[in-house]
Amino acid sequence: MIDYQHELDTQGLYCPEPVMMLHGVVRKMKPGEVVKITATDPSTERDIPKFCNFLGHPLLASEQDGELYFYWVQKKVS
């Protein structure tokens, strides 16, 4: 179980909305805080890891349960 301080529900939204919303949440987070993302768009399997790589935020975990995708992203510590 990963501890998280923020939660982002993007169920029913499609690319690019989940990543745009994630960007907004991460911008308001403190370094080291974690956000749990819940998504239904399969393209998040590609988009969220790319977002993390590009901006340097660690993707702590990802998992799929049926049609739901879960991601835990930590805001980078400078």
Side-chain angles (χ1 to χ4, degrees):
M1 178 84 189
I2 297 174
D3 287 332
Y4 55 92
Q5 296 73 41
H6 305 271
E7 195 162 4
L8 177 60
D9 184 354
T10 67
Q11 293 179 65
L13 302 177
Y14 295 96
C15 181
E17 286 182 280
V19 170
M20 289 171 53
M21 291 175 69
L22 174 58
H23 192 68
V25 169
V26 168
R27 193 177 288 149
K28 296 175 186 173
M29 291 167 49
K30 295 176 185 167
E33 288 187 334
V34 175
V35 57
K36 176 187 176 187
I37 302 108
T38 304
T40 50
D41 183 2
S43 68
T44 57
E45 287 188 292
R46 174 197 67 224
D47 297 341
I48 289 180
K50 280 188 174 184
F51 168 87
C52 291
N53 269 343
F54 185 73
L55 294 175
H57 301 300
L59 177 58
L60 301 179
S62 63
E63 59 184 55
Q64 183 179 357
D65 183 8
E67 295 184 9
L68 291 177
Y69 300 87
F70 302 96
Y71 306 91
W72 289 264
V73 174
Q74 183 178 43
K75 183 168 183 171
K76 68 181 174 183
V77 180
S78 300

